[in-house]
Amino acid sequence: MSPRPKKNIPAQFNVMVVGFAGVGKTAFLRTFLEALQHLHGASPETDDEITALQPTKLPSTVSVNIDSGGERLTLRLIDTPGLSTGYQMDKELQDILGYIEHQFDLTLTEESKVKRNPKAVDSQIHACLYFIDPSKTKLDEHDVRIITRLSNRVNVIPVIGKADTLTAAQRRRLKPAILQSIYNEATKIPLYGIPEDEEEDEEDEEDEDDSEEEAKIKKNATSLAAFLEQFDYDQEEEETQCVLDYLHQIPFGVIAYEEDPETGKPLETQNSAIKIGRDYGWGVIDCLSDKDSDLYSLMEVLLHTHRDILKSETIERYYEQYRTEKLLVRRATRIKGIEKELIGGNPIPEPRTNTV
């Protein structure tokens, strides 16, 4: 008897937004959902804090089913409370990291079962959009600390929120300044796609020449721009070209639509052709136009060009790293417990001495 064919289960992709309070995370998610409805005819399955107009106080999620390149995809968006600038920031960040790690724990628990659930949903966070305050001239120490810690657990993509508050000249200055804070001679924060310094593997002699060449490229690059200039784009493989395109785009500057105070839906603009935008009187900004906003480019990265890479990185890098850490801790705890039991519960008897 032939095996029963598997049902066409939609692929799962999970995106989280993180940043300080007031940088436009929730407004961005509303705009993202409207763009999905406008471009894909997709509507959210659930209604929660994302579609409400209050500040986010607890992590909240919304799921939407779309067709991505002929493939059924369930996209889950996770909004998080805005981080504080005071002493509470580290605790708030730890809560977010705890949420990410809990999704790894769910996978680890499922993998440990003798009989796994075929309907188990992949809840791991595949991408984390870190929103940067547009009023800053570069990343400050808080930003650097946050994204460095996040990058140990998830693929972090930098985004400038409320980019409509910047002039064209300010935007041209801010993007390179942010990249310089992320990648320079002294610091290389491991955001998604950012090249990292790798330790040499003495056992791998076959790729020694290539490794030396890559190390030379990284050593000579004191900025991300200098690093990118050393590649011959046309000679690179398709996946490498994809990453290079992405690195030329970050950080993404996004603009949220102008919302109706009562419904939260987009207000109609003077230009009827623009469905999702902001009307300033002197002109209308189209949130989906590459001229005004990077929203469409960011959607392409998440849903098409980089989705498989982001999922692969999540499993092969972040989950495996977390899984290894957890198993080592369990092993160390078990060994320590056995030693304690042997020493405390069954004391070693003293040797007898025979007297004549």
Side-chain angles (χ1 to χ4, degrees):
M1 183 176 179
S2 61
R4 185 181 300 174
K6 293 183 179 180
K7 294 181 179 179
N8 185 18
I9 301 175
Q12 185 77 33
F13 192 70
N14 307 310
V15 180
M16 171 183 278
V17 295
V18 175
F20 286 100
V23 293
K25 303 185 302 299
T26 305
F28 162 79
L29 289 178
R30 294 196 201 103
T31 305
F32 196 100
L33 289 170
E34 286 292 335
L36 287 175
Q37 187 170 5
H38 178 68
L39 297 173
H40 298 274
S43 298
E45 291 182 347
T46 57
D47 233 357
D48 53 17
E49 287 190 45
I50 290 179
T51 52
L53 298 179
Q54 294 106 13
T56 306
K57 296 180 181 179
L58 294 171
S60 53
T61 66
V62 61
S63 296
V64 59
N65 293 319
I66 63 173
D67 186 292
S68 177
E71 181 182 8
R72 290 174 59 203
L73 175 68
T74 297
L75 175 67
R76 188 166 67 103
L77 303 174
I78 302 99
D79 196 6
T80 60
L83 297 170
S84 307
T85 54
Y87 67 92
Q88 289 280 358
M89 185 191 76
D90 286 322
K91 186 200 179 292
E92 293 164 349
L93 177 58
Q94 188 56 47
D95 289 341
I96 293 172
L97 289 169
Y99 183 97
I100 295 171
E101 291 175 351
H102 178 63
Q103 313 314 312
F104 290 146
D105 285 330
L106 293 176
T107 303
L108 188 57
T109 300
E110 185 63 31
E111 285 186 348
S112 302
K113 293 179 179 178
V114 176
K115 187 176 181 180
R116 299 179 185 177
N117 181 7
K119 296 182 179 180
V121 176
D122 177 13
S123 63
Q124 296 180 32
I125 309 302
H126 303 117
C128 174
L129 307 182
Y130 180 73
F131 276 70
I132 301 165
D133 188 342
S135 66
K136 296 179 179 179
T137 56
K138 62 178 182 178
L139 295 183
D140 60 25
E141 60 177 327
H142 298 305
D143 292 313
V144 172
R145 186 156 85 246
I146 291 167
I147 61 179
T148 299
R149 291 187 63 188
L150 285 171
S151 294
N152 289 324
R153 286 290 181 254
V154 69
N155 295 303
V156 179
I157 297 175
V159 176
I160 302 171
K162 299 182 177 180
D164 55 310
T165 61
L166 299 170
T167 65
Q170 288 173 329
R171 196 166 174 175
R172 285 195 297 269
R173 289 194 299 268
L174 181 57
K175 281 198 171 190
I178 291 173
L179 292 178
Q180 184 62 24
S181 302
I182 294 171
Y183 188 96
N184 55 66
E185 194 169 2
T187 306
K188 293 178 177 62
I189 303 174
L191 301 189
Y192 171 68
I194 296 291
E196 298 180 60
D197 292 328
E198 298 177 358
E199 296 181 1
E200 295 183 5
D201 187 356
E202 296 180 357
E203 297 180 0
D204 189 359
E205 297 180 357
E206 295 182 1
D207 297 331
E208 186 176 350
D209 295 337
D210 292 339
S211 299
E212 289 180 359
E213 184 64 26
E214 290 176 5
K216 183 178 179 182
I217 289 176
K218 292 178 180 178
K219 184 177 180 181
N220 293 338
T222 56
S223 69
L224 187 58
F227 176 82
L228 295 175
E229 287 174 359
Q230 298 177 79
F231 287 88
D232 185 346
Y233 184 87
D234 294 332
Q235 299 300 318
E236 301 298 334
E237 296 179 356
E238 184 177 351
E239 185 171 319
T240 302
Q241 290 180 344
C242 188
V243 174
L244 292 175
D245 290 338
Y246 161 82
L247 291 174
H248 279 292
Q249 291 176 303
I250 60 170
F252 296 92
V254 297
I255 300 172
Y257 64 72
E258 186 175 6
E259 59 194 31
D260 186 307
E262 295 181 0
T263 65
K265 293 295 183 179
L267 285 175
E268 293 185 6
T269 64
Q270 297 178 9
N271 188 340
S272 59
I274 298 177
K275 303 299 182 183
I276 308 173
R278 299 185 74 90
D279 194 336
Y280 289 92
W282 47 262
V284 179
I285 288 179
D286 186 352
C287 295
L288 291 176
S289 170
D290 290 335
K291 178 183 177 182
D292 301 323
S293 172
D294 295 331
L295 173 62
Y296 184 79
S297 298
L298 178 56
M299 292 177 70
E300 283 293 299
V301 165
L302 294 173
L303 302 179
H304 300 291
T305 57
H306 286 253
R307 176 162 58 90
D308 291 339
I309 303 175
L310 288 163
K311 293 188 70 171
S312 177
E313 280 284 290
T314 301
I315 290 290
E316 297 176 7
R317 178 179 180 179
Y318 295 107
Y319 172 68
E320 286 301 325
Q321 175 184 316
Y322 180 79
R323 176 178 174 275
T324 301
E325 291 173 6
K326 291 286 286 187
L327 293 178
L328 287 175
V329 170
R330 289 180 185 178
R331 180 183 179 187
T333 303
R334 187 166 59 251
I335 293 174
K336 189 174 181 180
I338 293 173
E339 291 177 347
K340 186 176 180 180
E341 183 179 345
L342 289 174
I343 296 173
N346 301 295
I348 301 174
E350 295 183 4
R352 293 182 179 182
T353 57
N354 296 324
T355 57
V356 179

mmCIF file with all atom_site columns, all heavy atoms in Angstrom, residues 202-222:
data_model
loop_
_atom_site.group_PDB
_atom_site.id
_atom_site.type_symbol
_atom_site.label_atom_id
_atom_site.label_alt_id
_atom_site.label_comp_id
_atom_site.label_asym_id
_atom_site.label_entity_id
_atom_site.label_seq_id
_atom_site.pdbx_PDB_ins_code
_atom_site.Cartn_x
_atom_site.Cartn_y
_atom_site.Cartn_z
_atom_site.occupancy
_atom_site.B_iso_or_equiv
_atom_site.pdbx_formal_charge
_atom_site.auth_seq_id
_atom_site.auth_comp_id
_atom_site.auth_asym_id
_atom_site.auth_atom_id
_atom_site.pdbx_PDB_model_num
ATOM 1   N N   . GLU A 1 202 ? 42.621 24.828 10.909 1.00 0.00 ? 202 GLU A N   1
ATOM 2   C CA  . GLU A 1 202 ? 43.886 24.262 10.464 1.00 0.00 ? 202 GLU A CA  1
ATOM 3   C C   . GLU A 1 202 ? 43.697 22.914 9.778  1.00 0.00 ? 202 GLU A C   1
ATOM 4   O O   . GLU A 1 202 ? 44.509 22.496 8.966  1.00 0.00 ? 202 GLU A O   1
ATOM 5   C CB  . GLU A 1 202 ? 44.816 24.097 11.677 1.00 0.00 ? 202 GLU A CB  1
ATOM 6   C CG  . GLU A 1 202 ? 45.183 25.444 12.316 1.00 0.00 ? 202 GLU A CG  1
ATOM 7   C CD  . GLU A 1 202 ? 46.097 25.253 13.519 1.00 0.00 ? 202 GLU A CD  1
ATOM 8   O OE1 . GLU A 1 202 ? 46.377 24.071 13.855 1.00 0.00 ? 202 GLU A OE1 1
ATOM 9   O OE2 . GLU A 1 202 ? 46.519 26.261 14.096 1.00 0.00 ? 202 GLU A OE2 1
ATOM 10  N N   . GLU A 1 203 ? 42.605 22.205 10.100 1.00 0.00 ? 203 GLU A N   1
ATOM 11  C CA  . GLU A 1 203 ? 42.392 20.885 9.542  1.00 0.00 ? 203 GLU A CA  1
ATOM 12  C C   . GLU A 1 203 ? 41.918 20.944 8.100  1.00 0.00 ? 203 GLU A C   1
ATOM 13  O O   . GLU A 1 203 ? 42.071 19.992 7.350  1.00 0.00 ? 203 GLU A O   1
ATOM 14  C CB  . GLU A 1 203 ? 41.367 20.124 10.386 1.00 0.00 ? 203 GLU A CB  1
ATOM 15  C CG  . GLU A 1 203 ? 41.850 19.893 11.818 1.00 0.00 ? 203 GLU A CG  1
ATOM 16  C CD  . GLU A 1 203 ? 40.816 19.141 12.637 1.00 0.00 ? 203 GLU A CD  1
ATOM 17  O OE1 . GLU A 1 203 ? 39.744 18.821 12.053 1.00 0.00 ? 203 GLU A OE1 1
ATOM 18  O OE2 . GLU A 1 203 ? 41.062 18.878 13.814 1.00 0.00 ? 203 GLU A OE2 1
ATOM 19  N N   . ASP A 1 204 ? 41.330 22.064 7.711  1.00 0.00 ? 204 ASP A N   1
ATOM 20  C CA  . ASP A 1 204 ? 40.782 22.161 6.354  1.00 0.00 ? 204 ASP A CA  1
ATOM 21  C C   . ASP A 1 204 ? 41.846 22.759 5.449  1.00 0.00 ? 204 ASP A C   1
ATOM 22  O O   . ASP A 1 204 ? 42.006 23.957 5.358  1.00 0.00 ? 204 ASP A O   1
ATOM 23  C CB  . ASP A 1 204 ? 39.529 23.035 6.370  1.00 0.00 ? 204 ASP A CB  1
ATOM 24  C CG  . ASP A 1 204 ? 38.797 22.984 5.036  1.00 0.00 ? 204 ASP A CG  1
ATOM 25  O OD1 . ASP A 1 204 ? 39.297 22.291 4.132  1.00 0.00 ? 204 ASP A OD1 1
ATOM 26  O OD2 . ASP A 1 204 ? 37.751 23.645 4.908  1.00 0.00 ? 204 ASP A OD2 1
ATOM 27  N N   . GLU A 1 205 ? 42.610 21.894 4.776  1.00 0.00 ? 205 GLU A N   1
ATOM 28  C CA  . GLU A 1 205 ? 43.706 22.370 3.937  1.00 0.00 ? 205 GLU A CA  1
ATOM 29  C C   . GLU A 1 205 ? 43.256 22.611 2.499  1.00 0.00 ? 205 GLU A C   1
ATOM 30  O O   . GLU A 1 205 ? 43.906 23.322 1.752  1.00 0.00 ? 205 GLU A O   1
ATOM 31  C CB  . GLU A 1 205 ? 44.836 21.342 3.949  1.00 0.00 ? 205 GLU A CB  1
ATOM 32  C CG  . GLU A 1 205 ? 45.432 21.148 5.342  1.00 0.00 ? 205 GLU A CG  1
ATOM 33  C CD  . GLU A 1 205 ? 46.550 20.136 5.336  1.00 0.00 ? 205 GLU A CD  1
ATOM 34  O OE1 . GLU A 1 205 ? 46.803 19.560 4.232  1.00 0.00 ? 205 GLU A OE1 1
ATOM 35  O OE2 . GLU A 1 205 ? 47.174 19.915 6.386  1.00 0.00 ? 205 GLU A OE2 1
ATOM 36  N N   . GLU A 1 206 ? 42.120 22.014 2.103  1.00 0.00 ? 206 GLU A N   1
ATOM 37  C CA  . GLU A 1 206 ? 41.677 22.137 0.726  1.00 0.00 ? 206 GLU A CA  1
ATOM 38  C C   . GLU A 1 206 ? 41.290 23.561 0.392  1.00 0.00 ? 206 GLU A C   1
ATOM 39  O O   . GLU A 1 206 ? 41.532 24.034 -0.711 1.00 0.00 ? 206 GLU A O   1
ATOM 40  C CB  . GLU A 1 206 ? 40.493 21.191 0.484  1.00 0.00 ? 206 GLU A CB  1
ATOM 41  C CG  . GLU A 1 206 ? 40.860 19.725 0.602  1.00 0.00 ? 206 GLU A CG  1
ATOM 42  C CD  . GLU A 1 206 ? 39.679 18.832 0.308  1.00 0.00 ? 206 GLU A CD  1
ATOM 43  O OE1 . GLU A 1 206 ? 38.588 19.383 0.005  1.00 0.00 ? 206 GLU A OE1 1
ATOM 44  O OE2 . GLU A 1 206 ? 39.820 17.605 0.368  1.00 0.00 ? 206 GLU A OE2 1
ATOM 45  N N   . ASP A 1 207 ? 40.637 24.250 1.334  1.00 0.00 ? 207 ASP A N   1
ATOM 46  C CA  . ASP A 1 207 ? 40.174 25.610 1.075  1.00 0.00 ? 207 ASP A CA  1
ATOM 47  C C   . ASP A 1 207 ? 41.123 26.648 1.658  1.00 0.00 ? 207 ASP A C   1
ATOM 48  O O   . ASP A 1 207 ? 40.742 27.774 1.921  1.00 0.00 ? 207 ASP A O   1
ATOM 49  C CB  . ASP A 1 207 ? 38.773 25.811 1.675  1.00 0.00 ? 207 ASP A CB  1
ATOM 50  C CG  . ASP A 1 207 ? 37.754 24.897 1.032  1.00 0.00 ? 207 ASP A CG  1
ATOM 51  O OD1 . ASP A 1 207 ? 37.967 24.565 -0.141 1.00 0.00 ? 207 ASP A OD1 1
ATOM 52  O OD2 . ASP A 1 207 ? 36.777 24.523 1.699  1.00 0.00 ? 207 ASP A OD2 1
ATOM 53  N N   . GLU A 1 208 ? 42.395 26.273 1.857  1.00 0.00 ? 208 GLU A N   1
ATOM 54  C CA  . GLU A 1 208 ? 43.343 27.173 2.515  1.00 0.00 ? 208 GLU A CA  1
ATOM 55  C C   . GLU A 1 208 ? 43.547 28.448 1.713  1.00 0.00 ? 208 GLU A C   1
ATOM 56  O O   . GLU A 1 208 ? 43.554 29.554 2.254  1.00 0.00 ? 208 GLU A O   1
ATOM 57  C CB  . GLU A 1 208 ? 44.679 26.450 2.706  1.00 0.00 ? 208 GLU A CB  1
ATOM 58  C CG  . GLU A 1 208 ? 45.679 27.274 3.506  1.00 0.00 ? 208 GLU A CG  1
ATOM 59  C CD  . GLU A 1 208 ? 46.954 26.485 3.766  1.00 0.00 ? 208 GLU A CD  1
ATOM 60  O OE1 . GLU A 1 208 ? 46.955 25.268 3.490  1.00 0.00 ? 208 GLU A OE1 1
ATOM 61  O OE2 . GLU A 1 208 ? 47.920 27.084 4.222  1.00 0.00 ? 208 GLU A OE2 1
ATOM 62  N N   . ASP A 1 209 ? 43.701 28.299 0.387  1.00 0.00 ? 209 ASP A N   1
ATOM 63  C CA  . ASP A 1 209 ? 43.922 29.478 -0.448 1.00 0.00 ? 209 ASP A CA  1
ATOM 64  C C   . ASP A 1 209 ? 42.722 30.404 -0.415 1.00 0.00 ? 209 ASP A C   1
ATOM 65  O O   . ASP A 1 209 ? 42.866 31.626 -0.307 1.00 0.00 ? 209 ASP A O   1
ATOM 66  C CB  . ASP A 1 209 ? 44.224 29.052 -1.893 1.00 0.00 ? 209 ASP A CB  1
ATOM 67  C CG  . ASP A 1 209 ? 45.538 28.291 -1.996 1.00 0.00 ? 209 ASP A CG  1
ATOM 68  O OD1 . ASP A 1 209 ? 46.385 28.467 -1.091 1.00 0.00 ? 209 ASP A OD1 1
ATOM 69  O OD2 . ASP A 1 209 ? 45.696 27.537 -2.968 1.00 0.00 ? 209 ASP A OD2 1
ATOM 70  N N   . ASP A 1 210 ? 41.493 29.821 -0.525 1.00 0.00 ? 210 ASP A N   1
ATOM 71  C CA  . ASP A 1 210 ? 40.288 30.631 -0.489 1.00 0.00 ? 210 ASP A CA  1
ATOM 72  C C   . ASP A 1 210 ? 40.136 31.315 0.859  1.00 0.00 ? 210 ASP A C   1
ATOM 73  O O   . ASP A 1 210 ? 39.736 32.469 0.935  1.00 0.00 ? 210 ASP A O   1
ATOM 74  C CB  . ASP A 1 210 ? 39.053 29.749 -0.762 1.00 0.00 ? 210 ASP A CB  1
ATOM 75  C CG  . ASP A 1 210 ? 39.039 29.238 -2.190 1.00 0.00 ? 210 ASP A CG  1
ATOM 76  O OD1 . ASP A 1 210 ? 39.710 29.846 -3.033 1.00 0.00 ? 210 ASP A OD1 1
ATOM 77  O OD2 . ASP A 1 210 ? 38.345 28.233 -2.444 1.00 0.00 ? 210 ASP A OD2 1
ATOM 78  N N   . SER A 1 211 ? 40.447 30.600 1.943  1.00 0.00 ? 211 SER A N   1
ATOM 79  C CA  . SER A 1 211 ? 40.316 31.176 3.279  1.00 0.00 ? 211 SER A CA  1
ATOM 80  C C   . SER A 1 211 ? 41.268 32.352 3.454  1.00 0.00 ? 211 SER A C   1
ATOM 81  O O   . SER A 1 211 ? 40.920 33.371 4.037  1.00 0.00 ? 211 SER A O   1
ATOM 82  C CB  . SER A 1 211 ? 40.600 30.109 4.347  1.00 0.00 ? 211 SER A CB  1
ATOM 83  O OG  . SER A 1 211 ? 39.678 29.057 4.247  1.00 0.00 ? 211 SER A OG  1
ATOM 84  N N   . GLU A 1 212 ? 42.486 32.210 2.941  1.00 0.00 ? 212 GLU A N   1
ATOM 85  C CA  . GLU A 1 212 ? 43.460 33.299 3.041  1.00 0.00 ? 212 GLU A CA  1
ATOM 86  C C   . GLU A 1 212 ? 42.996 34.512 2.258  1.00 0.00 ? 212 GLU A C   1
ATOM 87  O O   . GLU A 1 212 ? 43.158 35.650 2.692  1.00 0.00 ? 212 GLU A O   1
ATOM 88  C CB  . GLU A 1 212 ? 44.820 32.830 2.519  1.00 0.00 ? 212 GLU A CB  1
ATOM 89  C CG  . GLU A 1 212 ? 45.514 31.835 3.438  1.00 0.00 ? 212 GLU A CG  1
ATOM 90  C CD  . GLU A 1 212 ? 46.858 31.390 2.895  1.00 0.00 ? 212 GLU A CD  1
ATOM 91  O OE1 . GLU A 1 212 ? 47.228 31.862 1.788  1.00 0.00 ? 212 GLU A OE1 1
ATOM 92  O OE2 . GLU A 1 212 ? 47.526 30.575 3.547  1.00 0.00 ? 212 GLU A OE2 1
ATOM 93  N N   . GLU A 1 213 ? 42.374 34.276 1.104  1.00 0.00 ? 213 GLU A N   1
ATOM 94  C CA  . GLU A 1 213 ? 41.880 35.374 0.280  1.00 0.00 ? 213 GLU A CA  1
ATOM 95  C C   . GLU A 1 213 ? 40.733 36.090 0.986  1.00 0.00 ? 213 GLU A C   1
ATOM 96  O O   . GLU A 1 213 ? 40.674 37.322 1.013  1.00 0.00 ? 213 GLU A O   1
ATOM 97  C CB  . GLU A 1 213 ? 41.411 34.844 -1.077 1.00 0.00 ? 213 GLU A CB  1
ATOM 98  C CG  . GLU A 1 213 ? 40.960 35.934 -2.044 1.00 0.00 ? 213 GLU A CG  1
ATOM 99  C CD  . GLU A 1 213 ? 42.091 36.863 -2.432 1.00 0.00 ? 213 GLU A CD  1
ATOM 100 O OE1 . GLU A 1 213 ? 43.262 36.443 -2.398 1.00 0.00 ? 213 GLU A OE1 1
ATOM 101 O OE2 . GLU A 1 213 ? 41.794 38.034 -2.764 1.00 0.00 ? 213 GLU A OE2 1
ATOM 102 N N   . GLU A 1 214 ? 39.802 35.309 1.581  1.00 0.00 ? 214 GLU A N   1
ATOM 103 C CA  . GLU A 1 214 ? 38.684 35.906 2.301  1.00 0.00 ? 214 GLU A CA  1
ATOM 104 C C   . GLU A 1 214 ? 39.170 36.692 3.506  1.00 0.00 ? 214 GLU A C   1
ATOM 105 O O   . GLU A 1 214 ? 38.677 37.777 3.797  1.00 0.00 ? 214 GLU A O   1
ATOM 106 C CB  . GLU A 1 214 ? 37.713 34.809 2.754  1.00 0.00 ? 214 GLU A CB  1
ATOM 107 C CG  . GLU A 1 214 ? 36.949 34.174 1.602  1.00 0.00 ? 214 GLU A CG  1
ATOM 108 C CD  . GLU A 1 214 ? 36.074 33.028 2.078  1.00 0.00 ? 214 GLU A CD  1
ATOM 109 O OE1 . GLU A 1 214 ? 36.007 32.808 3.302  1.00 0.00 ? 214 GLU A OE1 1
ATOM 110 O OE2 . GLU A 1 214 ? 35.472 32.368 1.226  1.00 0.00 ? 214 GLU A OE2 1
ATOM 111 N N   . ALA A 1 215 ? 40.161 36.139 4.214  1.00 0.00 ? 215 ALA A N   1
ATOM 112 C CA  . ALA A 1 215 ? 40.706 36.829 5.390  1.00 0.00 ? 215 ALA A CA  1
ATOM 113 C C   . ALA A 1 215 ? 41.374 38.139 4.984  1.00 0.00 ? 215 ALA A C   1
ATOM 114 O O   . ALA A 1 215 ? 41.273 39.153 5.686  1.00 0.00 ? 215 ALA A O   1
ATOM 115 C CB  . ALA A 1 215 ? 41.703 35.927 6.099  1.00 0.00 ? 215 ALA A CB  1
ATOM 116 N N   . LYS A 1 216 ? 42.038 38.125 3.838  1.00 0.00 ? 216 LYS A N   1
ATOM 117 C CA  . LYS A 1 216 ? 42.687 39.332 3.351  1.00 0.00 ? 216 LYS A CA  1
ATOM 118 C C   . LYS A 1 216 ? 41.656 40.411 3.022  1.00 0.00 ? 216 LYS A C   1
ATOM 119 O O   . LYS A 1 216 ? 41.838 41.587 3.328  1.00 0.00 ? 216 LYS A O   1
ATOM 120 C CB  . LYS A 1 216 ? 43.509 39.005 2.096  1.00 0.00 ? 216 LYS A CB  1
ATOM 121 C CG  . LYS A 1 216 ? 44.300 40.196 1.551  1.00 0.00 ? 216 LYS A CG  1
ATOM 122 C CD  . LYS A 1 216 ? 45.119 39.771 0.339  1.00 0.00 ? 216 LYS A CD  1
ATOM 123 C CE  . LYS A 1 216 ? 45.887 40.960 -0.233 1.00 0.00 ? 216 LYS A CE  1
ATOM 124 N NZ  . LYS A 1 216 ? 46.659 40.566 -1.442 1.00 0.00 ? 216 LYS A NZ  1
ATOM 125 N N   . ILE A 1 217 ? 40.532 39.985 2.407  1.00 0.00 ? 217 ILE A N   1
ATOM 126 C CA  . ILE A 1 217 ? 39.470 40.926 2.074  1.00 0.00 ? 217 ILE A CA  1
ATOM 127 C C   . ILE A 1 217 ? 38.916 41.566 3.334  1.00 0.00 ? 217 ILE A C   1
ATOM 128 O O   . ILE A 1 217 ? 38.751 42.779 3.428  1.00 0.00 ? 217 ILE A O   1
ATOM 129 C CB  . ILE A 1 217 ? 38.342 40.214 1.293  1.00 0.00 ? 217 ILE A CB  1
ATOM 130 C CG1 . ILE A 1 217 ? 38.824 39.853 -0.115 1.00 0.00 ? 217 ILE A CG1 1
ATOM 131 C CG2 . ILE A 1 217 ? 37.107 41.090 1.207  1.00 0.00 ? 217 ILE A CG2 1
ATOM 132 C CD1 . ILE A 1 217 ? 37.812 39.067 -0.916 1.00 0.00 ? 217 ILE A CD1 1
ATOM 133 N N   . LYS A 1 218 ? 38.647 40.719 4.344  1.00 0.00 ? 218 LYS A N   1
ATOM 134 C CA  . LYS A 1 218 ? 38.067 41.224 5.587  1.00 0.00 ? 218 LYS A CA  1
ATOM 135 C C   . LYS A 1 218 ? 39.046 42.140 6.325  1.00 0.00 ? 218 LYS A C   1
ATOM 136 O O   . LYS A 1 218 ? 38.655 43.133 6.928  1.00 0.00 ? 218 LYS A O   1
ATOM 137 C CB  . LYS A 1 218 ? 37.654 40.060 6.492  1.00 0.00 ? 218 LYS A CB  1
ATOM 138 C CG  . LYS A 1 218 ? 36.491 39.263 5.927  1.00 0.00 ? 218 LYS A CG  1
ATOM 139 C CD  . LYS A 1 218 ? 36.149 38.089 6.817  1.00 0.00 ? 218 LYS A CD  1
ATOM 140 C CE  . LYS A 1 218 ? 34.985 37.289 6.236  1.00 0.00 ? 218 LYS A CE  1
ATOM 141 N NZ  . LYS A 1 218 ? 34.667 36.119 7.051  1.00 0.00 ? 218 LYS A NZ  1
ATOM 142 N N   . LYS A 1 219 ? 40.334 41.782 6.290  1.00 0.00 ? 219 LYS A N   1
ATOM 143 C CA  . LYS A 1 219 ? 41.332 42.579 6.995  1.00 0.00 ? 219 LYS A CA  1
ATOM 144 C C   . LYS A 1 219 ? 41.483 43.953 6.372  1.00 0.00 ? 219 LYS A C   1
ATOM 145 O O   . LYS A 1 219 ? 41.664 44.955 7.055  1.00 0.00 ? 219 LYS A O   1
ATOM 146 C CB  . LYS A 1 219 ? 42.678 41.844 6.964  1.00 0.00 ? 219 LYS A CB  1
ATOM 147 C CG  . LYS A 1 219 ? 43.772 42.549 7.766  1.00 0.00 ? 219 LYS A CG  1
ATOM 148 C CD  . LYS A 1 219 ? 45.039 41.722 7.754  1.00 0.00 ? 219 LYS A CD  1
ATOM 149 C CE  . LYS A 1 219 ? 46.138 42.425 8.554  1.00 0.00 ? 219 LYS A CE  1
ATOM 150 N NZ  . LYS A 1 219 ? 47.402 41.642 8.536  1.00 0.00 ? 219 LYS A NZ  1
ATOM 151 N N   . ASN A 1 220 ? 41.394 44.029 5.049  1.00 0.00 ? 220 ASN A N   1
ATOM 152 C CA  . ASN A 1 220 ? 41.559 45.300 4.349  1.00 0.00 ? 220 ASN A CA  1
ATOM 153 C C   . ASN A 1 220 ? 40.326 46.185 4.441  1.00 0.00 ? 220 ASN A C   1
ATOM 154 O O   . ASN A 1 220 ? 40.400 47.389 4.185  1.00 0.00 ? 220 ASN A O   1
ATOM 155 C CB  . ASN A 1 220 ? 41.879 45.044 2.869  1.00 0.00 ? 220 ASN A CB  1
ATOM 156 C CG  . ASN A 1 220 ? 43.244 44.392 2.686  1.00 0.00 ? 220 ASN A CG  1
ATOM 157 O OD1 . ASN A 1 220 ? 44.093 44.481 3.550  1.00 0.00 ? 220 ASN A OD1 1
ATOM 158 N ND2 . ASN A 1 220 ? 43.424 43.716 1.562  1.00 0.00 ? 220 ASN A ND2 1
ATOM 159 N N   . ALA A 1 221 ? 39.186 45.610 4.800  1.00 0.00 ? 221 ALA A N   1
ATOM 160 C CA  . ALA A 1 221 ? 37.935 46.368 4.828  1.00 0.00 ? 221 ALA A CA  1
ATOM 161 C C   . ALA A 1 221 ? 37.754 47.034 6.187  1.00 0.00 ? 221 ALA A C   1
ATOM 162 O O   . ALA A 1 221 ? 37.536 46.372 7.185  1.00 0.00 ? 221 ALA A O   1
ATOM 163 C CB  . ALA A 1 221 ? 36.766 45.442 4.536  1.00 0.00 ? 221 ALA A CB  1
ATOM 164 N N   . THR A 1 222 ? 37.907 48.352 6.233  1.00 0.00 ? 222 THR A N   1
ATOM 165 C CA  . THR A 1 222 ? 37.694 49.097 7.473  1.00 0.00 ? 222 THR A CA  1
ATOM 166 C C   . THR A 1 222 ? 36.281 49.650 7.541  1.00 0.00 ? 222 THR A C   1
ATOM 167 O O   . THR A 1 222 ? 35.897 50.248 8.529  1.00 0.00 ? 222 THR A O   1
ATOM 168 C CB  . THR A 1 222 ? 38.698 50.256 7.583  1.00 0.00 ? 222 THR A CB  1
ATOM 169 O OG1 . THR A 1 222 ? 38.569 51.093 6.418  1.00 0.00 ? 222 THR A OG1 1
ATOM 170 C CG2 . THR A 1 222 ? 40.124 49.726 7.665  1.00 0.00 ? 222 THR A CG2 1
#
